[in-house]
Amino acid sequence: MTSELDIFVGNTTLIDEDVYRLWLDGYSVTDAVALRVRSGILEQTGATAAVLQSDTMDHYRTFHMLERLLHAPPKLLHQLIFQIPPSRQALLIERYYAFDEAFVREVLGKKLSKGTKKDLDDISTKTGITLKSCRRQFDNFKRVFKVVEEMRGSLVDNIQQHFLLSDRLARDYAAIVFFANNRFETGKKKLQYLSFGDFAFCAELMIQNWTLGAVDSQMDDMDMDLDKEFLQDLKELKVLVADKDLLDLHKSLVCTALRGKLGVFSEMEANFKNLSRGLVNVAAKLTHNKDVRDLFVDLVEKFVEPCRSDHWPLSDVRFFLNQYSASVHSLDGFRLECGGTIWAHCNLHLPGSSNSPASAFQVAGTTSVHHHAQQFFLYFQ
Amino acid sequence: MPGKLKVKIVAGRHLPVMDRASDLTDAFVEVKFGNTTFKTDVYLKSLNPQWNSEWFKFEVDDEDLQDEPLQITVLDHDTYSANDAIGKVYIDIDPLLYSEAATVISGWFPIYDTIHGIRGEINVVVKVDLFNDLNRFRQSSCGVKFFCTTSIPKCYRAVIIHGFVEELVVNEDPEYQWIDRIRTPRASNEARQRLISLMSGELQRKIGLKVLEMRGNAVVGYLQCFDLEGESGLVVRAIGTACTLDKLSSPAAFLPACNSPSKEMKEIPFNEDPNPNTHSSGPSTPLKNQTYSFSPSKSYSRQSSSSDTDLSLTPKTGMGSGSAGKEGGPFKALLRQQTQSALEQRGGSPHRFCRRREFPFFTLTAFPPGFLVHVGGVVSARSVKLLDRIHNPAFVGIMGNTRSYKLLDWNSFNSDEPETRDAWWAEIRQEIKSHAKALGCHAVVGYSESTSICEEVCILSASGTAAVLNPRFLQDGTVEGCLEQRLEENLSTRCGFCHIPYDELNMPFPAHLTYCYNCRKQKVPDVLFTTIDLPTDATVIGKGCLIQARLCRLKKKAQAEANATAISNLLPFMEYEVHTQLMNKLKLKGMNALFGLRIQITVGENMLMGLASATGVYLAALPTPGGIQIAGKTPNDGSYEQHISHMQKKINDTIAKNKELYEINPPEISEEIIGSPIPEPRQRSRLLRSQSESSDEVTELDLSHGKKDAFVLEIDDTDAMEDVHSLLTDVPPPSGFYSCNTEIMPGINNWTSEIQMFTSVRVIRLSSLNLTNQALNKNFNDLCENLLKSLYFKLRSMIPCCLCHVNFTVSLPEDELIQVTVTAVAITFDKNQALQTTKTPVEKSLQRASTDNEELLQFPLELCSDSLHSHPFPPVKEHLESASSNSGIPAAQRATSVDYSSFADRCSSWIELIKLKAQTIRRGSIKTTVTVEKASPVGDGNFRNRSAPPCANSTVGVVKMTPLSFIPGAKITKYLGIINMFFIRETTSLREEGGVSGFLHAFIAEVFAMVRAHVAALGGNAVVSYIMKQCVFMENPNKNQAQCLINVSGDAVVFVRESDLEVVSSQQPTTNCQSSCTEGEVTT
């Protein structure tokens, strides 16, 4: 006796959250059944393995049919085939678009192309996430990217509107899309210590301050692409390090302001020129696409690492950067040579000055060197 | 007379991409009705076109309006090649044809294609302007309402229940026409869908005409079925019960009749000879009964009646022997003769109703209080026919021009004319009628018909419950006088229907009678089988449960007549065994009555399947069932003995466990006190006691007692052993679950509002090697049990809940395939409240309804419930209806504590009681009706308010579906019309669609979606009495193809939550209990 056909269709579509999770995680029916058996469901309900198998198959089939609709969540709301209560619909969508931290860290900043998709099995073995799940997540990124790529308006709003995601998830997707679009390198060993959350934080600030949308809110792609003009203007910062007088003046301004307030004052004083040079060079290079991609690598190399080697505490880094950008304003020569807009941008480039420090601290936790550097980096961004 | 049909195509959405190049579609719409077609403009390059067309107007006869469906086709415009069809929508405009139902159909309909399934949606508005037709020779029957519900619909009152209406229409099946060889599968499917739509329209119209002829205005319990006979055609047949219904908007008009105790109408002694008007062929004498029941009837049939005598009865004594569909001349002649004589009788009878009451059948399963007087037992008839022999003279179906052949008069029936399906059915009905007569009943209730077809062999089955009805409801204008009658009956209301209708001395079968355990006056059988729902006023102890008998029999493959003979030879044995199984399982559950019995016999190439489902209950009026006694044939063998006693112990344990599980604690009855000791019951109770004490004693029981207290199972071979084993393998549902196949679960009455309707289909392939009956039985049994287990597991989140109206359908699509389809609804209930049955929310609403409720409740509960029943037809607004349904429970509770010593006293002073009751009645009825008056306009208004917000939130409104006739926790305010839909789905890419399971899963989901969309478009928010009548699935995995046909029906309704009603009306402070059970509303 073999079962040829076995289905269950409810007027209200039954959705088992546990099975949905297993399905999203890319387990095959057999694996899912095994996992469910292990969870002790048989003992709880007195069901047999065959019943569980049939139930799992049924749910998988339903999810498979729903998947098509989940690709365009508004469709799920308007379709007539599955009667699902709104709360369940939201859950389905949210879970479907949720992603694994480990996975997103692997593909962040990579081009969402077929080539990357081919590498998914490597990522799968590396992260221990099933290939199926990797594919789903990758396809989700790609789908969101394609849809919002050429859209006007705020990136987060667009994502929310077209994919009905929660605010938090929409922000994460905005970060992913932003990184993918600018192809920021995040995979280098040096950057491994940074979590997706860190990058997402950076992305949010960059979207707010560096993109076209930050300048003019009615443009295609506004939140995705960096403002070329702004990057061009950043070149002019070079004067901060090229002009010896200016550099000295800047240093003295910063040092005076920070004297006594910084635990690592002497190191700072000694290193000021190097640090300043590093920062300004990174900023000035951003006109080249390649350098844009390496932005994070460069920042870590040129700024974070020196600070880390000197054991700067996080608060000191913050003070320093605040003061660093603030004192530029009072540089006479600088003010003469550069226009007002540059100032604005310059500030934005060093948003530590324009953003409330609290936001950076929220993510900060311990005081180990490692974390200092991380927070410093965030702060800098 | 013409009507004007107006259609507007508004917009489309989610259309499929038809142009690969642009990833868009150039869609336009063709609107077709009859032979007229209109087209919209082409809306270029969009998947969400906005046509916003003008009003397309069709001027048509109302005959066409009834027959034809509105056909909307969405196409993709192609400049160079033929336009591609995207899909179609068929809209049945029948609901627009009667005044009280929907006035407009407007909404999003899924665009359906028989190959691709649903492809987007289209927004359509349909209206009908109908001109009144006074032509008495008209062919249309607009205005006759149709209900699938097998009870009087909730917001109506039955003035008269006229009786049985039936009709059938035959046509050639497009699938088997020559043209099918050259047309595409899509065209063929569409032709079929359209044809069936047309035929059911025509059928409905014709039945409507019959109803008008009877001066009725509605058909209740309308059941339409398709027989796909293959080569020999396609039959659409329908049965129903014609009624005259009154909308319950003006209950005041009805009140006086009830309140005036003026007329002195003499009660008719129902038991012996009911009002001759009610049945056509005179008083039923025993002699006549015999003539009918033992006639060498052509078809095999057998009456399964209200006793365990089924066991002692060999099938042959039932009704003749089974015989092939075609048989020799002499038999036929005999039959003819007989029919003739029956007709002569009828012709001779002077009553004006005789014509219409040709068959005193009722498709209803639940009745207004007082309608059902006595129930005799289940009557059924089956007949095996050969399809290839039909050559129907009027069989000239051309697409779109159907003609049916109908035998107009029985008198024109002569042997020269070819047999038609009409004659077949008439024959079976005749037999049912005679069986009913043999049981001393003049009517058959809960009547249904079905067929099973395999190749050219067809089994026609009909079954129902023989009953004696109260003639008042069958006549015109006899609502008065009801009160008097009721009063006389009052004492026995709750057990009256159990009393035997037949003559004790002339019993049609050996039965074991005792005095009714409730009234002690009338005789009752020890077991009662019926096809109806549990009467609302019946006293039930404990809860009910689903009882199934499953059976398979192998059969040699054979051709034509040999095949038919083989089948008809097997049938009696199958029925016999099915009944044995049912009886055994009933005893095992410690219950004594079956309701909603449905026996399905399915024929396949090489086997026959029998599946009987029913809901077992313990009726307080019936005697306590004895246990099951096992007897071995070889008493000398010691080890065998041991084995037997072991088994016996197991059985006794099971019975005890079941009694506990279903809370069956019948009151210990002390006969002596009653004063009229009946020997049998006393013996019974003694036996019972001894049985429950220890199993050993039971084995020693002297069976020569002769009284069938303990049910003896003889184990003489391994087969019997298997049977006993299989009895014990039935596992009870997990705790928190109950199941039944009737509308309501006896013993549970505090439903909460969460419902989940579902359909589950399973197909198993049997290993073809050396199949035996045992293996087959086991497989089938496992299949059903596993299916149930699966359902319990799936619905575990709803615990505590009850699966109601569990409807199993078995079919044998191929040699080794068994397909089981289950449709049911899971309803949650409040566990805490279940314990305190007397405090039902309904009674609370009653309390609230009457200001002097305290006074009312001071009367014993019995009176209270009686007062409700005393309305001949209480204004059946939802809560009142359920009030009467619930009232049985408190009574049952009461029964357990009642002191029987006071019984005699009470009897002696019953006249006083009547006076009291009369007061109560007057008071009660006035109060309740007033509430209804208040409530209904509020309800309507409220719904309008309610319906707005969900629409605003999401475009898709929630539509509930349920096979029941009601929605728990809600009140049905309006019936919008019947939903009757037929779909075909075919695929040539089965693997790609997820195999057979994926294909069927998607299809059923689509069918649900289309039903919901139609209901929503009518302005409704639920489908009640939903039924999937057919689910024919065929596959050809080698060709990667599959096809499925589904036929569903139901009543579209508007309902309002009772909690909402209360909030808005705020007539009385909401009782915490009531609100707590309805507040947990979940969108289902």
Side-chain angles (χ1 to χ4, degrees), chain B residues 324 384 555-556 558 560-572 608:
Chain B
V384 183
K555 160 185 94 63
K556 285 211 174 66
E561 277 179 51
N563 195 15
T565 316
I567 293 169
S568 39
N569 285 339
L570 270 173
L571 278 178
L608 281 174

Side-chain angles (χ1 to χ4, degrees), chain A residues 97 111 153 229 237-238 292 316 325 336 357:
Chain A
Y97 282 91
K111 196 177 176 190
E229 220 176 295
L237 285 173
K238 268 206 159 155
V292 171
D316 291 357
S325 46
L336 285 175

Side-chain angles (χ1 to χ4, degrees), chain A residues 52-96:
Chain A
L52 202 62
Q53 167 90 16
S54 132
D55 179 66
T56 313
M57 292 266 278
D58 216 68
H59 281 299
Y60 267 54
R61 213 166 28 241
T62 310
F63 298 143
H64 185 74
M65 283 189 263
L66 282 169
E67 191 165 20
R68 190 176 51 86
L69 297 162
L70 283 166
H71 288 171
K75 264 195 190 165
L76 185 71
L77 255 63
H78 296 292
Q79 53 84 30
L80 301 173
I81 298 178
F82 302 97
Q83 188 158 281
I84 305 170
S87 60
R88 288 264 138 171
Q89 286 178 345
L91 178 122
L92 282 175
I93 296 168
E94 195 75 7
R95 291 263 177 92
Y96 188 78

Side-chain angles (χ1 to χ4, degrees), chain B residues 824-894:
Chain B
V825 63
I827 311 181
T828 55
F829 61 90
D830 196 327
K831 200 163 198 174
N832 301 327
Q833 276 187 300
L835 302 172
Q836 33 174 306
T837 32
T838 42
K839 290 268 178 190
T840 60
V842 175
E843 276 187 6
K844 289 204 169 129
S845 69
L846 241 182
Q847 266 180 37
R848 266 171 271 137
S850 76
T851 39
D852 52 357
N853 54 55
E854 277 169 17
E855 198 182 339
L856 192 72
L857 287 175
Q858 271 166 8
F859 295 113
L861 276 167
E862 183 192 40
L863 295 187
C864 198
S865 60
D866 276 349
S867 76
L868 272 171
H869 300 310
S870 328
H871 307 281
F873 288 102
V876 206
K877 285 288 177 182
E878 164 86 350
H879 66 279
L880 280 184
E881 172 74 359
S882 44
S884 57
S885 78
N886 283 328
S887 57
I889 310 307
Q893 287 270 315
R894 214 180 119 272

Side-chain angles (χ1 to χ4, degrees), chain B residues 78 244 346 518 642 708 811 824:
Chain B
D78 256 320
T244 303
R346 187 181 301 119
N518 198 13
Q642 209 173 8
K708 293 179 181 171
S811 55

Side-chain angles (χ1 to χ4, degrees), chain B residues 218-518:
Chain B
V219 181
V220 181
Y222 184 69
L223 179 72
Q224 191 191 60
C225 290
F226 300 93
D227 296 333
L228 300 166
E229 294 183 350
E231 296 276 341
S232 56
L234 200 134
V235 180
V236 185
R237 58 192 164 78
I239 54 175
T241 306
C243 294
T244 303
L245 297 183
D246 243 7
K247 189 114 170 84
L248 268 180
S249 49
S250 55
F254 172 67
L255 261 179
C258 183
N259 276 335
S260 64
S262 54
K263 300 251 163 60
E264 271 299 321
M265 193 167 159
K266 189 76 197 124
E267 195 196 336
I268 302 144
F270 306 101
N271 315 13
E272 316 305 344
D273 183 16
N275 191 336
N277 272 354
T278 55
H279 64 126
S280 43
S281 37
S284 51
T285 65
L287 185 74
K288 230 176 251 162
N289 282 348
Q290 266 162 23
T291 328
Y292 282 107
S293 50
F294 294 99
S295 64
S297 132
K298 183 166 142 64
S299 53
Y300 164 75
S301 77
R302 173 183 151 66
Q303 78 205 62
S304 62
S305 33
S306 53
S307 77
D308 54 354
T309 50
D310 288 334
L311 277 189
S312 55
L313 240 161
T314 62
K316 296 238 164 166
T317 50
M319 301 292 138
S321 56
S323 63
K326 280 284 169 182
E327 59 178 8
F331 279 114
K332 206 165 193 170
L334 235 165
L335 173 80
R336 292 289 132 70
Q337 227 172 24
Q338 214 193 326
T339 334
Q340 211 69 25
S341 69
L343 281 166
E344 273 156 23
Q345 269 174 26
R346 187 181 301 119
S349 81
H351 305 299
R352 64 191 168 109
F353 296 116
C354 65
R355 191 75 195 86
R356 102 161 59 136
R357 298 274 155 70
E358 190 175 35
F359 297 110
F361 296 168
F362 300 87
T363 54
L364 303 180
T365 59
F367 308 91
F371 184 79
L372 204 61
V373 180
H374 298 307
V375 169
V378 171
V379 285
S380 73
R382 290 182 207 284
S383 156
V384 183
K385 299 285 181 187
L386 277 179
L387 293 171
D388 63 345
R389 293 298 185 83
I390 320 160
H391 42 99
N392 209 320
F395 201 58
V396 281
I398 304 164
M399 279 301 302
N401 177 20
T402 35
R403 279 178 57 196
S404 71
Y405 183 76
K406 171 83 183 129
L407 212 67
L408 286 174
D409 192 26
W410 266 95
N411 293 321
S412 70
F413 188 83
N414 62 62
S415 52
D416 291 328
E417 268 197 283
E419 279 189 320
T420 64
R421 292 164 191 82
D422 263 303
W424 290 356
W425 285 113
E427 199 179 280
I428 284 198
R429 285 167 194 151
Q430 198 62 35
E431 207 169 304
I432 289 273
K433 191 171 147 187
S434 62
H435 293 346
K437 231 179 273 167
L439 286 171
C441 298
H442 62 83
V444 176
V445 293
Y447 179 74
S448 66
E449 294 175 346
S450 63
T451 57
S452 170
I453 298 169
C454 178
E455 303 288 303
E456 71 277 288
V457 177
C458 172
I459 301 183
L460 310 182
S461 316
S463 72
T465 306
V468 176
L469 304 179
N470 192 332
R472 277 177 295 123
F473 300 117
L474 306 176
Q475 292 164 359
D476 306 333
T478 44
V479 262
E480 319 153 49
C482 43
L483 189 67
E484 290 81 1
Q485 216 160 32
R486 287 241 52 85
L487 290 181
E488 279 183 66
E489 263 182 274
N490 261 342
L491 274 179
S492 58
T493 325
R494 274 173 284 115
C495 55
F497 80 94
C498 305
H499 301 159
I500 50 160
Y502 33 85
D503 186 357
E504 205 181 327
L505 301 170
N506 271 311
M507 281 197 295
F509 45 81
H512 180 67
L513 303 178
T514 49
Y515 281 107
C516 172
Y517 274 50
N518 198 13

